[in-house]
Amino acid sequence: MATTDRQATTLALAHALSAAERGLAVIPLSRTKLPALRSPHRDDPDPAPCHGECGRSGHGVYDASSDPARIRELFAAAPWATGYGIACGLPPHHLIGIDLDTKSDTDSSAALRELALRHLFTIPPTVVVLTPSGGRHVWLTGPADIVVPNSAGRLAPGIDIRGAGGYLVGPGSRTDHGVYSTAPGTAHIGPAPCPRALLRLLLPPPRAHHPAPPSTGGHGQGLVQFVLAAHEGQRNTRLFWAACRAYEDGIGPALVDPLVEAALNTGLTEREARATIASAARMTGHRP
């Protein structure tokens, strides 16, 4: 390996360890910004879904760790790594990345400002990472009981969201196109909480509504069905979204018990369900 590559790997490891000291879980990345370790199942004729349960490395963001020994082990297995990725959605920060791209014909920064004006929120001072292409990654934190999904262009053209199961290229990483760096004045501050109005925009809308129970009307039954259709990994997100809609429509108190029952059917505990509904009540300005 060339000396410059060795230096890049050493620097990437140092940056990754520094990020881990702040509670961020990381993985080694190649110059293409992809996980440096290949899947151990790549040659299996019919691989079963695996997120690391096999005990081997090479599962992308599911390898992410904030343990220094584990990070050194991952980088030792990938001596060609020149960068590191920071996993989103994990405790303690539950990181959300707002990726303002420059590849589309639209001005993604202007689009975010327009969304902020329209929905009455302000991006607080937070970590901002500058990309080699001229884009920006805005780091925010989310609530522990909310799962923000990844999306591309759903919020607005040129704006991608890195949520649970996604990762952000960490500052100090070197890629084929250049080096990622922290924007001036943001290197020594932590990621700020995501504004409530923006958080609402990041959650997926319900797909359909169904006939209503007499107590809450058609919309209420549709929200209950939306929760019942949740798969593992969607349960808290769907419950939170449905509860927000219920409180906004004035049927929140009447729908608490039906939503809790629906959440229990998806596998959540009653304590988890009621905590998520209480969070939705607070976010929409109601008392749980």
Side-chain angles (χ1 to χ4, degrees):
M1 181 168 43
T3 301
T4 53
D5 285 341
R6 286 200 300 270
Q7 291 173 343
T9 301
T10 301
L11 286 172
L13 174 58
H15 284 296
L17 290 171
S18 177
E21 289 179 355
R22 291 178 284 155
L24 298 168
V26 301
I27 55 171
L29 299 182
S30 70
R31 284 183 173 273
T32 62
K33 302 186 295 185
L34 295 175
L37 292 173
R38 297 180 65 189
S39 169
H41 310 293
R42 61 185 179 276
D43 296 325
D44 294 353
D46 188 21
C50 181
H51 293 160
E53 295 86 354
C54 66
R56 293 177 286 175
S57 301
H59 296 86
V61 73
Y62 299 102
D63 289 344
S65 175
S66 58
D67 175 53
R70 175 59 175 160
I71 294 168
R72 292 181 185 278
E73 179 183 317
L74 291 171
F75 272 82
W80 52 87
T82 59
Y84 65 104
I86 298 174
C88 296
L90 298 180
H93 300 290
H94 304 280
L95 195 64
I96 301 167
I98 311 297
D99 182 355
L100 302 177
D101 202 354
T102 59
K103 296 177 183 177
S104 62
D105 294 331
T106 59
D107 186 335
S108 55
S109 294
L112 181 60
R113 289 194 296 270
E114 182 180 339
L115 282 169
L117 287 171
R118 188 187 314 156
H119 296 278
L120 304 178
F121 66 84
T122 301
I123 300 294
T126 190
V127 180
V128 176
V129 175
L130 306 179
T131 74
S133 63
R136 293 185 297 146
H137 293 168
V138 179
W139 292 16
L140 299 168
T141 64
D145 55 353
I146 303 301
V147 178
V148 173
N150 295 288
S151 64
R154 187 176 70 82
L155 197 63
I159 301 180
D160 297 341
I161 304 301
R162 301 287 180 260
Y167 64 87
L168 292 163
V169 180
S173 296
R174 183 173 295 277
T175 71
D176 285 335
H177 299 288
V179 179
Y180 284 69
S181 60
T182 310
T186 72
H188 301 294
I189 61 177
C194 182
R196 291 183 176 185
L198 174 57
L199 183 62
R200 293 258 307 281
L201 295 176
L202 303 182
L203 301 180
R207 295 180 180 175
H209 301 306
H210 299 278
S215 58
T216 57
H219 186 53
Q221 180 62 16
L223 295 175
V224 170
Q225 292 296 327
F226 178 65
V227 173
L228 285 170
H231 301 294
E232 186 174 0
Q234 303 176 327
R235 297 174 298 190
N236 264 318
T237 301
R238 283 182 171 244
L239 177 61
F240 180 80
W241 199 97
C244 283
R245 300 291 82 72
Y247 278 104
E248 287 176 341
D249 293 345
I251 58 174
L255 210 62
V256 168
D257 288 339
L259 287 176
V260 168
E261 183 177 351
L264 292 175
N265 284 328
T266 68
L268 291 179
T269 66
E270 182 172 355
R271 181 178 179 180
E272 291 172 325
R274 292 193 181 277
T276 297
I277 294 171
S279 294
R282 290 191 294 271
M283 179 168 286
T284 53
H286 297 80
R287 297 186 63 180

